[in-house]
Amino acid sequence: MAPRKIIIDTDPGQDDAVAILLALASPEDLDVLGITAVAGNVPLDLTSKNARIVCELAGKVDVPVFAGCDRPLGRELVTAEHVHGKSGLDGPDLPDPEMPLQDGHAVDWIIDTVRREPAGSVTLCPLGPLTNIASALQKAPDIAERVAQIVLMGGAYFEVGNITPAAEFNIYVDPQAADIVFKSGIDIVVMPLDVTHKALVTQARNDAFRALGNAAGIAVAQMTDFFERFDKAKYGSAGAPLHDPCVTAYLIRPDLFTGRHINVEIETTSELTLGMTVADWWGVTDRPANAFFVGDLDADGFFTLLTERLARL
Ligand code: RIB
Ligand code: CA
């Protein structure tokens, strides 16, 4: 079977970096057409730099990287240096990128690519705020029916919020963008905190990354050593939650994940619950299902896949 064509939209971010590495280490499964950076964990100048750092770490300097939106659709940018560090990739000491940013705006490249590739052949994989994706859908509504699927990290139901009591970071940063995406009619798979908080880098799993001995394995161990501090302090977690790699792993091994096809709506006005994903997990409304909302995973299977693939880089 031919590898699946994907566009990774991202705000690296240590967990984004691991998701990108997993994708680039899996050419038999995934054809990464390009990477589009968005403002999120850190400002756009850093996310677009970090995306290239990760491509070079993977030895894949031919992957085109584009800079996208530098702020959300309708509010000021909220960043997460308190989680990811000032650089967004704190932990390892990685060199500045030599590969260039591509000319042109990421949103235009997403539109052109989805229009150019056969209809139904491109999957969008947002790992950060949905600003670039929503902007592309607003600018070119015709692409909605051409996109094969959107597999995104964002939201929560049982886990509720990690940036406010009610909201997960990616959705909270740009609720208007999320509302556009979830109302687009595109086939959506959601990796919420409900599942990503079960993908924890325990010490044994971190040791396995480091034991790979290659640059990617050691860097991932160093990234997750840094990145785990926020969740250990807040939740008492056993290690760093690998939020974004759940997206890439799902594309490679969907059988590792379980969930429900339900209705998900986004709170876009209330100050108290702005950015909340109101997920009808229990089917108590007659609102139409619009997303496959993942609730659980085979964590050992996930980490076995991730570790095996990182060993290839
Ligand atoms: O809430 C977790 C999400 O926010 C992840 O994608 C992380 O990288 C940050 O973007
Ligand atoms: Ca992210």
Side-chain angles (χ1 to χ4, degrees):
M1 192 168 154
R4 188 163 174 176
K5 293 178 179 179
I6 68 170
I7 294 173
I8 297 175
D9 189 70
T10 180
D11 64 334
Q14 290 87 351
D15 60 316
D16 301 69
V18 181
I20 294 167
L21 290 171
L22 176 55
L24 296 179
S26 308
E28 72 271 43
D29 298 297
L30 302 174
D31 176 5
V32 182
L33 299 178
I35 295 174
T36 51
V38 67
N41 285 320
V42 287
L44 180 66
D45 63 322
L46 287 175
T47 59
S48 53
K49 173 184 173 186
N50 292 343
R52 289 176 286 150
I53 287 174
V54 176
C55 287
E56 292 187 350
L57 176 63
K60 309 287 184 183
V61 296
D62 56 342
V63 176
V65 178
F66 295 82
C69 299
D70 63 0
R71 54 162 296 161
L73 293 184
R75 58 194 302 246
E76 290 305 309
L77 176 63
V78 171
T79 52
E81 287 87 349
H82 63 291
V83 179
H84 300 276
K86 190 162 173 36
S87 75
L89 272 188
D90 284 27
D93 181 15
L94 297 171
D96 285 352
E98 292 181 10
M99 66 186 281
L101 264 184
Q102 298 297 310
D103 294 335
H105 196 285
V107 169
D108 295 325
W109 180 78
I110 290 170
I111 294 168
D112 293 346
T113 303
V114 172
R115 284 177 172 164
R116 181 188 68 240
E117 295 293 333
S121 68
V122 177
T123 297
L124 304 180
C125 306
L127 310 179
L130 290 163
T131 316
N132 284 345
I133 308 302
S135 298
L137 291 170
Q138 280 185 315
K139 191 169 184 181
D142 60 287
I143 67 169
E145 62 185 14
R146 299 182 62 85
V147 171
Q149 194 172 51
I150 292 177
V151 184
L152 66 90
M153 191 278 144
Y157 179 61
F158 293 99
E159 291 294 296
V160 207
N162 62 356
I163 187 75
T164 75
E168 178 278 326
F169 179 79
N170 287 341
I171 309 300
Y172 178 72
V173 169
D174 200 338
Q176 283 70 22
D179 192 44
I180 289 167
V181 170
F182 277 81
K183 288 177 177 170
S184 67
I186 297 171
D187 178 0
I188 295 175
V189 175
V190 183
M191 292 290 159
L193 297 178
D194 302 14
V195 64
T196 69
H197 278 175
K198 297 170 184 172
L200 300 176
V201 184
T202 59
Q203 191 56 56
R205 289 163 176 166
N206 188 285
D207 293 345
F209 294 149
R210 202 178 296 272
L212 292 175
N214 59 351
I218 292 167
V220 167
Q222 292 170 332
M223 286 182 202
T224 50
D225 268 344
F226 178 88
F227 171 56
E228 71 176 15
R229 301 174 193 183
F230 173 79
D231 286 79
K232 277 192 162 181
K234 180 182 177 110
Y235 297 101
S237 303
L242 287 188
H243 305 292
D244 297 335
C246 286
V247 169
T248 327
Y250 176 83
L251 292 165
I252 299 168
R253 285 279 312 278
D255 59 294
L256 293 174
F257 298 85
T258 57
R260 293 181 184 181
H261 199 228
I262 62 171
N263 177 269
V264 179
E265 308 242 345
I266 310 298
E267 177 56 66
T268 58
T269 54
S270 156
E271 273 307 305
L272 186 62
T273 57
L274 187 68
M276 184 175 197
T277 47
V278 182
D280 191 5
W281 181 263
W282 299 113
V284 297
T285 77
D286 57 1
R287 292 197 289 256
N290 61 341
F292 183 71
F293 198 82
V294 177
D296 204 355
L297 85 165
D298 168 357
D300 287 337
F302 169 80
F303 279 96
T304 299
L305 171 70
L306 175 56
T307 308
E308 282 173 355
R309 297 292 167 101
L310 289 175
R312 296 176 170 185
L313 297 175

